[in-house]
Every structure is written in C-alpha cells, then in structure tokens.
Amino acid sequence: RQGCAMEAVLGQVEQLPALLAVSRSALVRDWDSLTLDRALEWARYFQHLYDRFRARPQLREALGRRLRRAQPYPLLSFPTLGRCPQLLGLALLENRALPPVACRRLLRSLLQPPGAGTGPEPRSLPLLARRKAAACLLALPRRSPRRSPGTEPQLQTEAQLLLSRLREEGQEVGEAAGQLHWLCGVLEQLPQPRAFEVVAAALAVLKQGTCTEQAGARDRDGSSLDRYQASAAEDGYTAGVLLSWLLGNQERFSAFCLCLPCSFLAFLAGHYSQLRKSYLDLLASWGSYLRYDPLQGQWVKSCLDKAELSWEELREHFTCLCQGSTLLKEQTQAALKLLKTQDGDFEVRGISVWTDILMEV
C-alpha cells in the first residue's frame, strides 16, 4: 500500500514541469479564478511534499530523480518543490497573457495566502519582489564588457546570487556531487562567455569576503575567530564545487582562460593553488605551439588550429603572473625555469620560447 501511495506521489511530482511551463505560456489567457486557485493549490501541495520529505534522504532523492527525468527542465530538483508557490507566482506575474480577473485573484492570494489570517506579512510577496528586482537588474545591458569580472557591479550581483543558491543547494543535498549537478544545469543555460565571467566573479567574491572577515576576526574575541574559521571552511567548500566544474573539462578551462583578462586570471591563480597549476600547465601547452621564424625575427604560431596565443599574448599572461604576489611570482618563474631546462637550457634568444619568455619577464 505504501509503495502504491509513493508511486502516486511520484506521478504527481512529474506534473510540476508542465505546471511551470503552462504558467509561462499563452495558455493562461483562458484561466479564470477557479483555474488559478487550482494551480496555486498544486503549488502549495508540492511545497507540502518538500516540508514532509526534506528530512528523509531516500524519499528526497527519489523525488529529485523523478523531477530530473522531466526534460527539458534540467534545473528542477527536490529543493524546487519548496519554492513552487514563489516560482509559480513569479511566472504568472510576468505573463501578460494572464486575464485581469485571474491577475487580481493572484495578487490577493499572494498578499493574503490561505491560513495567513491576521499574522505577520507572508514571506512569499517580499521574496517575489526581491527576485523580480534582481531579474530587472540582471536584464540591464552591460555598459563595459571589457571591465574585470571582479569589479563589474552587474556581475558581482549575479555571482552573489549564484553563491547564495549554491549554498542553499548544499544545505538541501548535503553533498558536493549534488551541488555540482545543480551548478552544471544552471551554467548550461548561460552563454559560455557569460558563464565564465560569473564563475570568475564568484571565485573573486569568495576570496575577497574571506580576506575581509579574516581582518575583522583579528581584532575581535575568540568566538569571532571561530565564526571566521567556519565561514572560511564553507567558502572553501563552495569554491571547490566551482573549481570542479571549471577544471573538470580541459576545453572548458581553456575557453575560460581565453575569455578573461590576464590580470584577473593572475588574481585567481594567486588565490587558488588548484587553478594556478592548471593555468601554468595550459600556458606551457600553448607555448609549445610557437616556433621562431628567423626571417621575421619573431615567434609565430606553428599549428594554427592548436596554437591559441600569439607570442605577445603569451608574454602578457606570464608578465601578469610575475606581477602578482611574491609566492605567485616565485612559482611562475620556477615553472618557466623548469620548462627552459627541459627545452635544452639555452641562454640565447630565438632557440627556446621559454628562454625568451624568462628574459622578457
């Protein structure tokens, strides 16, 4: 009996993608107040399932798997059930096809949901307002595409939102694999350059926030230091998930390094040792496709389909690395000296690209 009941629940959960899809479509133009009430009841029912099963890992995973089977909605997961009333309400508020009568009914429902009585203001409406404001902000045209991802206000906002949702997902799923699965689904929805910029900004936000908290913790008592250490551990865990996505695919990481300014890559390399090693290895690979042309008196690309950087660009990457922290400079120079030694340890220009890079930087 319990198995049949659970199968019925799983079948109902499979209808959530359809409900959210309809709420964004022109089909809502035929909705009346009764239809709207039924849709909101379904949303509250899904939220009830979330509250009921969130502390039961096996059932939670079963519901999450059933949601992930519903394509083309790869972003749906078990935590989506808990936000279903807000997601449905936001979709309907943004849908101009919703008739005025149903829209007024929706607003009344959001302002005074069932069971709210005369108690405090419900959380759903402020949450919808914040998400709508964030959506409007993120939809603004970018004014300065050449600015560093760490300084552009719009990207910082997107990065903060991404980190917030990634932490929420971690609290619900409780494992890095689940967070990584969610992160992959989110970033696949963005154009690749934008996804790279958001991830880079998120990594910068994590490191800048940790440095600020560390400085404050030095001036406070032991409890502040404990809180800083706990926060730093959480930030390190979150950064690990972002780096797993970024470094888990060589083509993706290569495109990431081609997309961002050298100075910002050097900043990230100075703070994340895992990224630093992969970055230096990638630069070494790119440099191996340069050859010296004696007629032109310069290094040129020997294999156009594999050589991503020109001599000038490669030199700029290493120059920015050597202008970073003392540790970053020392590790970069050590890597260059090792490459120079492996290439024959020449001291004359025009024989080894690594000899010439060392002489330049």
Side-chain angles (χ1 to χ4, degrees):
R1 228 178 246 185
Q2 290 180 347
C4 293
M6 190 60 196
E7 187 58 37
V9 170
L10 292 173
Q12 291 167 342
V13 166
E14 283 188 329
Q15 304 306 312
L16 174 56
L19 174 64
L20 294 178
V22 169
S23 69
R24 301 186 188 99
S25 73
L27 295 175
V28 301
R29 66 164 54 97
D30 299 323
W31 284 21
D32 54 17
S33 297
L34 183 60
T35 306
L36 177 69
D37 287 343
R38 284 201 300 267
L40 294 174
E41 286 174 7
W42 272 110
R44 288 190 287 270
Y45 170 70
F46 291 132
Q47 186 179 43
H48 167 73
L49 292 179
Y50 171 82
D51 294 334
R52 182 179 176 185
F53 296 123
R54 62 183 302 182
R56 305 177 66 178
Q58 291 183 342
L59 296 178
R60 186 178 65 193
E61 178 59 27
L63 290 167
R65 282 198 305 269
R66 189 60 64 97
L67 277 173
R68 289 192 291 270
R69 280 170 47 181
Q71 298 296 328
Y73 301 96
L75 302 186
L76 295 187
S77 59
F78 178 76
T80 307
L81 297 174
R83 299 187 296 273
C84 194
Q86 289 80 18
L87 292 173
L88 179 66
L90 183 61
L92 290 171
L93 285 175
E94 293 182 332
N95 193 338
R96 296 184 179 182
L98 189 67
V101 174
C103 187
R104 287 193 293 270
R105 181 78 170 185
L106 173 63
L107 290 172
R108 282 197 299 270
S109 175
L110 294 173
L111 288 167
Q112 191 71 21
T118 58
E121 182 183 10
R123 292 183 301 166
S124 58
L125 192 62
L127 179 61
L128 283 171
R130 289 197 299 271
R131 289 184 174 174
K132 177 63 176 178
C136 292
L137 172 65
L138 299 181
L140 293 174
R142 298 176 62 194
R143 295 182 179 179
S144 181
R146 298 301 299 172
R147 292 175 63 180
S148 168
T151 59
E152 187 182 339
Q154 181 182 342
L155 267 174
Q156 284 190 326
T157 303
E158 290 186 66
Q160 291 281 10
L161 289 171
L162 178 67
L163 291 173
S164 176
R165 283 290 295 113
L166 190 56
R167 291 184 181 113
E168 288 179 16
E169 197 70 19
Q171 293 172 359
E172 296 294 342
V173 177
E175 57 181 15
Q179 284 180 284
L180 184 58
H181 174 82
W182 177 86
L183 182 65
C184 290
V186 169
L187 296 177
E188 284 173 1
Q189 308 304 308
L190 295 175
Q192 194 173 79
R194 193 61 172 176
F196 293 151
E197 291 172 346
V198 172
V199 169
L203 289 170
V205 166
L206 286 172
K207 191 51 61 178
Q208 290 164 351
T210 300
C211 293
T212 302
E213 291 179 8
Q214 184 179 22
R218 291 196 190 106
D219 301 329
R220 301 192 188 99
D221 55 18
S223 61
S224 297
L225 183 58
D226 291 341
R227 286 195 298 272
Y228 156 71
Q229 291 174 341
S231 176
E234 182 184 10
D235 286 351
Y237 184 84
T238 304
V241 177
L242 292 169
L243 290 172
S244 294
W245 175 84
L246 183 60
L247 303 177
N249 181 288
Q250 183 65 22
E251 291 184 4
R252 177 188 299 150
F253 182 60
S254 177
F256 174 85
C257 293
L258 290 171
C259 170
L260 296 178
C262 299
S263 57
F264 195 74
L265 289 170
F267 169 82
L268 294 178
H271 288 90
Y272 296 100
S273 58
Q274 189 178 358
L275 185 145
R276 176 167 62 247
K277 182 181 183 306
S278 297
Y279 182 35
L280 288 171
D281 289 345
L282 183 63
L283 291 178
S285 173
W286 285 342
S288 67
Y289 291 107
L290 295 178
R291 65 173 179 83
Y292 192 77
D293 186 338
L295 296 179
Q296 300 183 44
Q298 61 184 10
W299 291 91
V300 297
K301 296 179 180 180
S302 62
C303 187
L304 295 179
D305 60 333
K306 293 183 179 180
E308 299 287 358
L309 297 182
S310 65
W311 156 257
E312 291 77 14
E313 291 167 335
L314 184 68
R315 180 181 59 191
E316 184 181 2
H317 277 268
F318 279 108
T319 299
C320 288
L321 286 170
C322 289
Q323 290 173 346
S325 66
T326 301
L327 177 61
L328 179 61
K329 178 180 179 180
E330 290 175 351
Q331 292 185 346
T332 301
Q333 290 180 340
L336 283 170
K337 289 175 182 177
L338 178 61
L339 289 168
K340 172 176 173 284
T341 301
Q342 293 173 344
D343 216 17
D345 204 16
F346 297 102
E347 298 293 343
V348 181
R349 285 184 178 272
I351 298 179
S352 169
V353 65
W354 309 119
T355 298
D356 289 14
I357 287 286
L358 268 171
M359 290 181 176
E360 290 285 338
V361 303

